[in-house]
Amino acid sequence: MTTSPPHEAPPPYDVASPGTLSGTERTRVRRLSERAATDRQALYDVLDAGRICHLGVIVDGCPRVLPTGYGRDGDTLYLHGSTGAVSLRAGGEICVTVTHLDGLVLARSVFHHSMNYRSAVIYGRPRLVTDPEEKLAGLRAIVENLAPGRWDAARRPTRKELAATAVVALSLEEASVKVRQGPPSDDEEDLGLDVWAGVLPVREVVGDPVPDPLLRPGIGYSK
Amino acid sequence: MTTSPPHEAPPPYDVASPGTLSGTERTRVRRLSERAATDRQALYDVLDAGRICHLGVIVDGCPRVLPTGYGRDGDTLYLHGSTGAVSLRAGGEICVTVTHLDGLVLARSVFHHSMNYRSAVIYGRPRLVTDPEEKLAGLRAIVENLAPGRWDAARRPTRKELAATAVVALSLEEASVKVRQGPPSDDEEDLGLDVWAGVLPVREVVGDPVPDPLLRPGIGYSK
């Protein structure tokens, strides 16, 4: 079943890696390695197109995966949370994954059903941001990634709000990108089957703005 | 910043939990606990509306988060992968998270920017499915969750394909669901600001089927 984890490793057979964004063992994409992207721009593209990442931490010896916002500034990813948050206090390495589902791949065989996707996996030890200027820059990256222009449009954080918010920085040094696009990869001998095969494209759509019921009259939405 | 991890715990203050789907400490939603859902149907709804989960495992002492397909059958979640896959071989507990982004919440203050979402987090020790009948049922659940009807439409797995595929079962016993919907929650004193506030709705759209270039003529797509 090729819908299985895109970043999965290792395969039942050994394949040479076409390369990754970093040279570590865990970012070497071993399963279906033809799907691995190697350039840094591919990483930026996947990250910049997303709004939610899935943050993996270890709490009490068990993995915990939480959705959260993020922002990128150069080769640094910023995450934030309440200063009391377990996931940001846990210490140790974290893993951040961003995934875009682009299509449902319907093959002639059940086995070759798959998904078209773009995904990035980043590993590293987060650094708590204590420098006030970097903290603001990190928050700005997070808010701008959510909705461009809002950092300038909305009221900036107060000292109290800043104190209640923890910002951590994660280097993009150790990362891998994997992409699958295109039609199904059916076995030669299945091509004659009387089964529809192809892709159902999937995309995320942002709809028309819904004003807050408390919005004062006369304030229009501008992107 | 309330875009922070929805399932985050614990908060700087202690709040009583309105209840979770299970009685364990880690599924007790502590941060913004008014967003916790308590009934099992809410869990099913989040899972059944999704196609990709993020699977968290521990590999060499570090968290790893991988996107993968899944399927639900009653109170069991099924995942699959290559039989050699590290994430399924790792042993120990896993965490599976499914998240739907429903909206970008633009507040009058940067601090109250947020997201509307539905998410489910499941913890447990996966069980390798060895019973052939359950293995087929698990694969069926996974394929049907990807695209309903395909289990019957496409060629079923061969013995060889089945042997190459590992299926694991995860009980839905220990899970939490968190939901945020609605307009921004600005501070009272910000309501008078000259800043647009509201929600940009986000939804996933499945487009028109794109036939495989190798599709034999005369085979139409039927849902």
Side-chain angles (χ1 to χ4, degrees):
Chain A
M1 315 289 295
T2 45
T3 59
S4 54
H7 293 263
E8 204 50 273
Y13 41 87
D14 211 38
V15 293
S17 170
T20 54
L21 290 155
S22 57
T24 64
E25 186 61 16
R26 61 186 169 183
T27 53
R28 188 163 71 83
V29 175
R30 274 163 285 191
R31 251 197 97 248
L32 305 173
S33 59
E34 70 280 8
R35 296 183 188 169
T38 53
D39 60 303
R40 201 138 276 275
Q41 189 58 48
L43 174 64
Y44 299 158
D45 289 347
V46 170
L47 295 178
D48 296 352
R51 290 186 179 98
I52 280 185
C53 69
H54 281 81
L55 164 65
V57 295
I58 298 178
V59 179
D60 298 334
C62 294
R64 184 172 293 187
V65 179
L66 302 169
T68 187
Y70 66 92
R72 182 179 75 86
D73 188 356
D75 278 312
T76 303
L77 199 78
Y78 289 101
L79 305 170
H80 72 306
S82 143
T83 48
V86 157
S87 61
L88 296 180
R89 282 189 327 196
E93 298 222 7
I94 65 172
C95 176
V96 171
T97 300
V98 174
T99 306
H100 303 284
L101 175 61
D102 293 324
L104 310 175
V105 181
L106 311 188
R108 293 159 186 86
S109 68
V110 160
F111 186 79
H112 282 296
H113 276 62
S114 188
M115 299 192 218
N116 284 337
Y117 61 86
R118 290 157 291 147
S119 63
V121 177
I122 304 148
Y123 299 97
R125 197 173 290 273
R127 169 176 59 82
L128 184 68
V129 176
T130 52
D131 176 71
E133 218 163 297
E134 189 187 2
K135 194 167 178 176
L136 277 176
L139 290 174
R140 184 195 171 104
I142 294 167
V143 168
E144 288 291 296
N145 192 56
L146 179 79
R150 293 301 293 186
W151 185 260
D152 287 330
R155 174 178 67 68
R156 298 282 170 86
T158 63
R159 224 156 20 157
K160 197 178 156 192
E161 288 170 341
L162 282 174
T165 307
V167 175
V168 298
L170 180 66
S171 162
L172 295 181
E173 207 181 324
E174 194 178 348
S176 67
V177 170
K178 225 172 159 185
V179 176
R180 191 220 186 271
Q181 301 294 334
S185 313
D186 270 306
D187 296 335
E188 189 77 32
E189 58 266 35
D190 287 335
L191 294 180
L193 291 179
D194 193 21
V195 179
W196 190 88
V199 173
L200 305 183
V202 176
R203 66 184 203 282
E204 206 175 69
V205 172
V206 179
D208 292 333
V210 178
D212 182 356
L214 300 178
L215 188 65
R216 285 173 44 212
I219 305 180
Y221 172 75
S222 67
K223 204 179 176 176
Chain B
M1 314 291 293
T2 46
T3 59
S4 54
H7 294 265
E8 204 50 274
Y13 40 86
D14 211 39
V15 292
S17 169
T20 53
L21 290 155
S22 56
T24 64
E25 187 59 16
R26 62 185 169 184
T27 53
R28 189 163 72 83
V29 176
R30 274 163 287 190
R31 250 197 98 249
L32 305 173
S33 60
E34 70 280 8
R35 296 183 188 168
T38 53
D39 61 302
R40 199 138 278 274
Q41 188 58 48
L43 174 64
Y44 299 157
D45 289 348
V46 171
L47 295 177
D48 296 352
R51 289 187 179 98
I52 280 185
C53 69
H54 281 81
L55 165 65
V57 295
I58 298 178
V59 179
D60 298 333
C62 294
R64 182 171 294 187
V65 179
L66 302 168
T68 186
Y70 66 91
R72 182 180 73 86
D73 188 354
D75 278 311
T76 303
L77 199 79
Y78 289 100
L79 305 170
H80 72 306
S82 142
T83 47
V86 158
S87 62
L88 297 180
R89 281 190 327 198
E93 298 222 5
I94 65 172
C95 177
V96 171
T97 300
V98 174
T99 306
H100 305 282
L101 175 61
D102 294 324
L104 310 174
V105 180
L106 311 189
R108 293 159 185 88
S109 67
V110 160
F111 187 78
H112 282 296
H113 276 63
S114 187
M115 299 192 217
N116 284 337
Y117 61 85
R118 292 157 290 148
S119 64
V121 176
I122 305 149
Y123 299 97
R125 196 172 289 273
R127 168 176 59 83
L128 185 68
V129 176
T130 53
D131 176 71
E133 217 163 298
E134 188 186 3
K135 193 167 179 177
L136 278 175
L139 289 174
R140 183 195 170 106
I142 293 167
V143 168
E144 289 290 298
N145 192 55
L146 179 78
R150 293 302 294 187
W151 185 260
D152 287 330
R155 174 178 68 68
R156 298 282 170 85
T158 63
R159 225 158 16 158
K160 196 178 158 194
E161 288 171 340
L162 281 175
T165 307
V167 175
V168 298
L170 180 65
S171 162
L172 295 181
E173 207 180 327
E174 194 178 347
S176 67
V177 171
K178 223 170 161 187
V179 176
R180 193 221 185 269
Q181 302 294 334
S185 312
D186 269 307
D187 296 335
E188 188 77 32
E189 58 266 35
D190 287 336
L191 295 180
L193 291 177
D194 194 22
V195 179
W196 190 88
V199 173
L200 305 183
V202 176
R203 65 182 204 284
E204 207 175 69
V205 173
V206 179
D208 291 334
V210 178
D212 182 355
L214 300 178
L215 188 66
R216 287 174 41 213
I219 304 181
Y221 172 76
S222 67
K223 203 179 177 178

